[in-house]
Amino acid sequence: MFLRATTRKKDGKEHRYWSIVENRRLAGGRVLQRHVLYLGEINSSQERAWRKSIEVFDEHAGDTRTLSLFPEDRCEGLVSDTSIVRLRLSELSLRRPRQWGACWLALKLWQELELDDFWAARLPKTRKGTRFDQVLFVLVTYRLLSPGSEWRLHRQWFERSALCDLLGADESLADIHKLYACHDLLLAHKTALFDHLVRRWRDLFHVTFDVLLYDLTSTYFESHPPFGEDDKRRYGYSRDHRSDCVQIVIALVVTPEGLPLAYEVLPGNTADSTTLRGFLDAIERQYGKARRVWCMDRGVPTEETLSYMRVADPPVHYLVGTPKGRLSKLEQDLLARPWHEVRPGVQVKLLPQDNEMYVFAQSHDRIAKERAMRKRQLKALWVRLKQLGAMTLTHKELLMKLGAARSRYPAGWRLIDVVAHDSDPAFTYRLDRDKLRQVRRREGRYLLRTNLVGHDPAELWRHYIQLVQVEEAFKNLKGDLAIRPIYHQDAQRIEAHVFIAFLSYCLHTTLAQKLKPHAGGLTPRSVLDTFAAVQMLDVHIPTTDGRQIVLTRTTEPESKLQLLLDRLHLQWPPQPPPKITRAQAQTATAV
């Protein structure tokens, strides 16, 4: 990198502007010059014309002073003055590069949700001066941008970020004891946070909360029992395919837009069907009774819960998927019903029954997708069975390889009858054509159940496909935000870990909502990565009298980032004011 001066004439006067430029060596010996940092005008060719006065923070005096900066080789004829500083530009250095852009965006999202005011009122400054509201923001931002353990945040990530500069704080925010102590202060404010978020979602995005999506997931631990009786870490059905690890279950309610309203942490062995009734009561207590539509996947509600929802006052409306066994019972009744087209490529059949409506839907795109997946598995399994039939194997080896094939191709295995004879390495297999015909009839088709009798079938179908939003929420929590695995051992901090991940997801989904009208094809992760390219660094310029001018500067945003800023109506903040340090001789005398 090197310093470049650009001379321009403006209004008859000559001005010099300084920039830091980087040379990049390309193939064929070519050199590409990249503009890294713009410093602005430092001097000019004549004293009165090129004199540039700037406000500099004097660290010795503790206040700002107006100084005139000149390069060392352009100081001839100047009158000696304490306000004149001579710079050794040949000794300029760049120090402390740190990630700034994505941290700044996270702070803007935090402020837009008014979480800075919310937490400042609930986590005031302690007698020792600790700002736990800022410590919480550090934890949430870390989970959003580069999730990992609190120890990694303390030892490595924080010093590589610009959070100190953004918050006007120091490195004590990442003290490991403060990070853990902050976890202990959060859960008491969970209900208040849910109320606050509902108000902000309504104000920012005009959300109505008429339709709620409900689902559950699990997340596992790197720890082993035994635990206390009240501990929620339990072995159970693992959606992460980690049945060897204890886990907790997380129940989540989101809007069709993907905005989270509430969550609950449940023991790891909780059955899905036992959770809905408690959540219905909790939402009703917190937000009052209203005519909401609850969308759920099959296996969540029980018959008892659905009966309660139908007889409640007012009735609680639901739209839920049904097990495939119920489709077998109603298949003959549905055959006589006509198809209704709700959109191109999607048809439904309606079957009223016992104050409920069954909606049998089919999507041509979904049929083609599921059929291609089934054909691919069936073909691969058939080839594998043919290979095994040509091998010379013992009976035990054959059973092990058949088990591996079954695990790898489960959808295809259900359509093939495989018979392995006792103590005989030979086996036979054939295609079950009756099962294949049944599977072909049901590919891309699903049966829904609702008490919204008389509603538009197109509207019912749209409500149900919005369940992908809650699945997307779980995907983001486990992917981008890396909620798993959990390393905490204390029960309260385990739930606080989920609480922090929930807050990070709130920032994540707020950014997604802001992108929709302007850049719907961009994901929050891609935007955060684009912002993360903007770095902050300190430009140190020594002076002839032993002091240093420190310019804290951010790199210029690239064109695509500038376009994003314009689309999102965000204003890039001004560069921080320069600072000047004490002279070395004075410092030595003071010491």
Side-chain angles (χ1 to χ4, degrees), residues 199-236:
R199 290 193 295 270
R200 292 307 295 152
W201 301 144
R202 185 180 289 113
D203 294 341
L204 289 173
F205 307 117
H206 311 292
V207 182
T208 59
F209 312 110
D210 293 334
V211 179
L212 300 181
L213 314 177
Y214 177 75
D215 206 352
L216 302 98
T217 191
S218 59
T219 183
Y220 61 90
F221 293 79
E222 294 294 342
S223 57
H224 302 285
F227 306 117
E229 293 184 0
D230 298 331
D231 201 300
K232 294 182 179 180
R233 287 171 288 180
R234 293 284 186 270
Y235 287 110

Coordinates of all heavy atoms in Angstrom, one line a residue, residues 199-236:
R199 N -45.4 -5.1 19.3 CA -45.6 -3.7 19.0 C -44.7 -3.2 17.8 O -45.2 -2.5 16.9 CB -45.4 -2.8 20.2 CG -46.5 -3.0 21.3 CD -46.4 -1.9 22.3 NE -45.2 -1.9 23.1 CZ -45.0 -2.6 24.2 NH1 -46.0 -3.3 24.7 NH2 -43.8 -2.6 24.8
R200 N -43.5 -3.6 17.9 CA -42.6 -3.2 16.8 C -42.9 -3.8 15.5 O -42.8 -3.2 14.4 CB -41.1 -3.5 17.2 CG -40.6 -2.7 18.4 CD -40.8 -1.2 18.1 NE -40.0 -0.7 17.0 CZ -40.3 0.3 16.3 NH1 -41.4 1.0 16.5 NH2 -39.5 0.7 15.3
W201 N -43.2 -5.1 15.5 CA -43.6 -5.8 14.2 C -44.8 -5.0 13.6 O -44.9 -4.8 12.4 CB -44.0 -7.2 14.4 CG -42.9 -8.2 15.0 CD1 -43.2 -9.2 15.9 CD2 -41.5 -8.2 14.8 NE1 -42.0 -9.8 16.2 CE2 -41.0 -9.2 15.5 CE3 -40.7 -7.4 14.0 CZ2 -39.6 -9.5 15.5 CZ3 -39.3 -7.7 14.0 CH2 -38.8 -8.7 14.8
R202 N -45.8 -4.7 14.5 CA -47.0 -4.0 14.0 C -46.6 -2.6 13.4 O -47.1 -2.2 12.3 CB -48.0 -3.9 15.1 CG -49.3 -3.3 14.6 CD -50.3 -3.2 15.8 NE -50.8 -4.5 16.2 CZ -50.5 -5.0 17.4 NH1 -49.8 -4.4 18.3 NH2 -51.0 -6.2 17.7
D203 N -45.7 -1.9 14.1 CA -45.4 -0.5 13.6 C -44.5 -0.6 12.4 O -44.7 0.3 11.5 CB -44.7 0.2 14.7 CG -45.6 0.5 15.9 OD1 -46.8 0.4 15.8 OD2 -45.0 0.8 17.0
L204 N -43.6 -1.5 12.3 CA -42.6 -1.5 11.2 C -43.2 -2.1 9.9 O -43.0 -1.6 8.8 CB -41.4 -2.2 11.6 CG -40.4 -1.6 12.6 CD1 -39.3 -2.5 13.1 CD2 -39.9 -0.3 12.1
F205 N -43.9 -3.2 10.1 CA -44.3 -4.0 8.9 C -45.8 -4.2 8.8 O -46.3 -5.0 8.0 CB -43.6 -5.4 9.0 CG -42.1 -5.3 9.2 CD1 -41.5 -5.8 10.3 CD2 -41.4 -4.7 8.2 CE1 -40.1 -5.7 10.4 CE2 -40.0 -4.6 8.3 CZ -39.4 -5.1 9.5
H206 N -46.6 -3.6 9.7 CA -48.1 -3.6 9.6 C -48.6 -5.1 9.7 O -49.5 -5.5 8.9 CB -48.6 -2.9 8.3 CG -48.0 -1.6 8.1 ND1 -48.3 -0.5 9.0 CD2 -47.1 -1.1 7.2 CE1 -47.6 0.6 8.5 NE2 -46.9 0.2 7.5
V207 N -48.1 -5.8 10.6 CA -48.5 -7.2 10.8 C -49.8 -7.3 11.5 O -50.0 -6.5 12.4 CB -47.4 -8.0 11.5 CG1 -47.7 -9.5 11.7 CG2 -46.0 -7.9 10.8
T208 N -50.7 -8.2 11.1 CA -52.0 -8.3 11.7 C -52.1 -9.5 12.8 O -53.0 -9.4 13.6 CB -53.0 -8.5 10.7 OG1 -52.8 -9.7 9.9 CG2 -53.0 -7.3 9.7
F209 N -51.3 -10.5 12.7 CA -51.3 -11.6 13.6 C -52.6 -12.4 13.5 O -53.0 -13.0 14.5 CB -51.1 -11.2 15.0 CG -49.9 -10.2 15.2 CD1 -50.1 -8.9 15.5 CD2 -48.6 -10.7 15.0 CE1 -49.0 -8.1 15.7 CE2 -47.5 -9.9 15.2 CZ -47.7 -8.6 15.5
D210 N -53.2 -12.4 12.3 CA -54.5 -13.2 12.2 C -54.1 -14.7 12.0 O -55.0 -15.5 12.3 CB -55.2 -12.7 11.0 CG -55.8 -11.3 11.2 OD1 -56.0 -11.0 12.3 OD2 -56.0 -10.6 10.2
V211 N -53.0 -15.0 11.5 CA -52.5 -16.4 11.2 C -51.2 -16.6 12.0 O -50.3 -15.8 11.9 CB -52.3 -16.6 9.7 CG1 -51.9 -18.1 9.5 CG2 -53.6 -16.4 9.0
L212 N -51.2 -17.7 12.8 CA -50.0 -18.0 13.5 C -49.5 -19.4 13.1 O -50.3 -20.3 12.9 CB -50.2 -18.0 15.0 CG -50.7 -16.6 15.6 CD1 -50.9 -16.7 17.1 CD2 -49.7 -15.5 15.3
L213 N -48.2 -19.5 13.0 CA -47.6 -20.8 12.6 C -46.9 -21.4 13.8 O -46.1 -20.7 14.5 CB -46.6 -20.6 11.4 CG -47.1 -19.8 10.3 CD1 -46.0 -19.6 9.2 CD2 -48.3 -20.3 9.6
Y214 N -47.1 -22.7 14.1 CA -46.6 -23.3 15.3 C -45.9 -24.6 14.9 O -46.4 -25.4 14.2 CB -47.7 -23.6 16.3 CG -47.3 -24.3 17.5 CD1 -46.6 -23.6 18.5 CD2 -47.6 -25.6 17.7 CE1 -46.2 -24.3 19.7 CE2 -47.2 -26.3 18.9 CZ -46.5 -25.6 19.8 OH -46.2 -26.3 21.0
D215 N -44.7 -24.7 15.5 CA -43.9 -26.0 15.2 C -42.9 -26.1 16.3 O -42.6 -25.2 17.1 CB -43.3 -26.0 13.8 CG -43.1 -27.4 13.3 OD1 -43.3 -28.4 14.1 OD2 -42.7 -27.6 12.1
L216 N -42.2 -27.3 16.3 CA -41.2 -27.6 17.3 C -40.0 -28.1 16.7 O -40.0 -28.7 15.6 CB -41.7 -28.6 18.3 CG -43.0 -28.2 19.1 CD1 -44.2 -28.9 18.4 CD2 -42.9 -28.7 20.6
T217 N -38.9 -27.9 17.4 CA -37.6 -28.6 16.9 C -36.8 -28.9 18.2 O -37.3 -28.7 19.3 CB -36.8 -27.6 16.1 OG1 -35.7 -28.3 15.5 CG2 -36.2 -26.4 16.9
S218 N -35.7 -29.5 18.0 CA -34.8 -29.9 19.1 C -33.4 -29.5 18.8 O -33.0 -29.3 17.7 CB -34.9 -31.4 19.3 OG -34.4 -32.1 18.2
T219 N -32.6 -29.3 19.9 CA -31.2 -29.0 19.8 C -30.5 -29.7 20.9 O -31.0 -29.9 22.0 CB -31.0 -27.5 19.8 OG1 -29.6 -27.2 19.6 CG2 -31.4 -26.9 21.2
Y220 N -29.3 -30.2 20.6 CA -28.6 -31.1 21.4 C -27.4 -30.5 22.2 O -27.0 -29.3 21.9 CB -28.1 -32.3 20.6 CG -27.1 -32.0 19.5 CD1 -25.7 -32.0 19.8 CD2 -27.5 -31.7 18.2 CE1 -24.8 -31.7 18.8 CE2 -26.6 -31.4 17.2 CZ -25.3 -31.4 17.5 OH -24.4 -31.1 16.5
F221 N -26.8 -31.2 23.1 CA -25.8 -30.7 24.0 C -24.5 -31.6 23.9 O -24.6 -32.8 23.5 CB -26.2 -30.8 25.5 CG -27.3 -29.9 25.8 CD1 -28.7 -30.2 25.5 CD2 -27.1 -28.7 26.4 CE1 -29.7 -29.3 25.8 CE2 -28.1 -27.8 26.8 CZ -29.4 -28.1 26.4
E222 N -23.4 -31.0 24.2 CA -22.2 -31.8 24.4 C -22.0 -32.0 25.9 O -21.1 -31.5 26.5 CB -21.0 -31.0 23.8 CG -21.0 -30.8 22.3 CD -20.9 -32.1 21.5 OE1 -20.5 -33.1 22.1 OE2 -21.3 -32.2 20.3
S223 N -22.9 -32.7 26.5 CA -22.8 -33.1 27.9 C -23.6 -34.4 28.1 O -24.3 -34.8 27.2 CB -23.4 -32.0 28.7 OG -24.8 -31.7 28.4
H224 N -23.4 -35.0 29.2 CA -23.9 -36.3 29.5 C -24.6 -36.3 30.9 O -24.1 -35.7 31.8 CB -22.8 -37.4 29.4 CG -22.1 -37.4 28.1 ND1 -22.7 -37.9 27.0 CD2 -20.9 -36.9 27.7 CE1 -21.8 -37.7 25.9 NE2 -20.7 -37.1 26.4
P225 N -25.7 -37.1 31.0 CA -26.3 -37.3 32.3 C -25.4 -38.0 33.3 O -24.4 -38.5 32.9 CB -27.6 -38.0 31.9 CG -27.3 -38.7 30.7 CD -26.3 -37.9 30.0
P226 N -25.8 -38.1 34.6 CA -27.1 -37.7 35.1 C -27.2 -36.3 35.4 O -26.3 -35.6 35.8 CB -27.2 -38.6 36.4 CG -25.8 -38.7 36.8 CD -24.9 -38.8 35.6
F227 N -28.5 -35.8 35.4 CA -28.8 -34.4 35.7 C -29.9 -34.4 36.8 O -30.4 -35.5 37.1 CB -29.3 -33.6 34.5 CG -28.4 -33.7 33.3 CD1 -28.8 -34.3 32.1 CD2 -27.2 -33.1 33.4 CE1 -27.9 -34.3 31.1 CE2 -26.3 -33.1 32.3 CZ -26.7 -33.7 31.2
G228 N -30.2 -33.3 37.3 CA -31.2 -33.2 38.3 C -32.6 -33.4 37.8 O -32.8 -33.4 36.6
E229 N -33.6 -33.6 38.7 CA -34.9 -34.0 38.2 C -35.6 -32.8 37.4 O -36.4 -33.0 36.6 CB -35.8 -34.3 39.4 CG -35.4 -35.6 40.1 CD -36.4 -36.0 41.2 OE1 -37.3 -35.2 41.5 OE2 -36.2 -37.0 41.9
D230 N -35.2 -31.6 37.8 CA -35.8 -30.4 37.1 C -35.1 -30.0 35.9 O -35.5 -29.0 35.2 CB -35.9 -29.2 38.1 CG -36.7 -29.5 39.3 OD1 -37.7 -30.3 39.2 OD2 -36.5 -28.9 40.4
D231 N -34.0 -30.7 35.6 CA -33.2 -30.3 34.4 C -34.0 -30.7 33.1 O -34.5 -31.8 33.0 CB -31.8 -31.0 34.4 CG -30.8 -30.3 33.5 OD1 -31.1 -30.2 32.3 OD2 -29.8 -29.8 34.1
K232 N -34.0 -29.9 32.1 CA -34.7 -30.1 30.9 C -33.9 -30.9 29.9 O -34.4 -31.3 28.8 CB -35.2 -28.8 30.2 CG -36.2 -28.1 31.1 CD -36.6 -26.8 30.4 CE -37.7 -26.1 31.3 NZ -38.2 -24.8 30.7
R233 N -32.6 -31.2 30.1 CA -31.8 -32.0 29.2 C -32.2 -33.5 29.3 O -32.1 -34.1 30.4 CB -30.4 -31.8 29.5 CG -29.8 -30.5 29.1 CD -28.4 -30.3 29.6 NE -28.3 -30.1 31.0 CZ -27.2 -29.8 31.7 NH1 -26.1 -29.9 31.1 NH2 -27.3 -29.6 33.0
R234 N -32.8 -34.0 28.3 CA -33.3 -35.4 28.3 C -33.0 -36.0 26.9 O -32.9 -35.3 25.9 CB -34.8 -35.4 28.5 CG -35.2 -34.9 29.9 CD -34.9 -36.0 31.0 NE -35.4 -35.7 32.3 CZ -34.7 -35.0 33.2 NH1 -33.4 -34.6 32.9 NH2 -35.2 -34.7 34.4
Y235 N -33.0 -37.3 26.9 CA -32.9 -38.1 25.6 C -34.3 -38.1 25.0 O -35.3 -38.2 25.8 CB -32.4 -39.5 25.8 CG -31.0 -39.6 26.1 CD1 -30.5 -39.9 27.4 CD2 -30.0 -39.3 25.1 CE1 -29.2 -40.0 27.7 CE2 -28.7 -39.4 25.4 CZ -28.2 -39.8 26.7 OH -26.9 -39.8 26.9
G236 N -34.4 -37.9 23.7 CA -35.7 -38.0 23.1 C -35.6 -38.1 21.6 O -34.4 -38.2 21.1

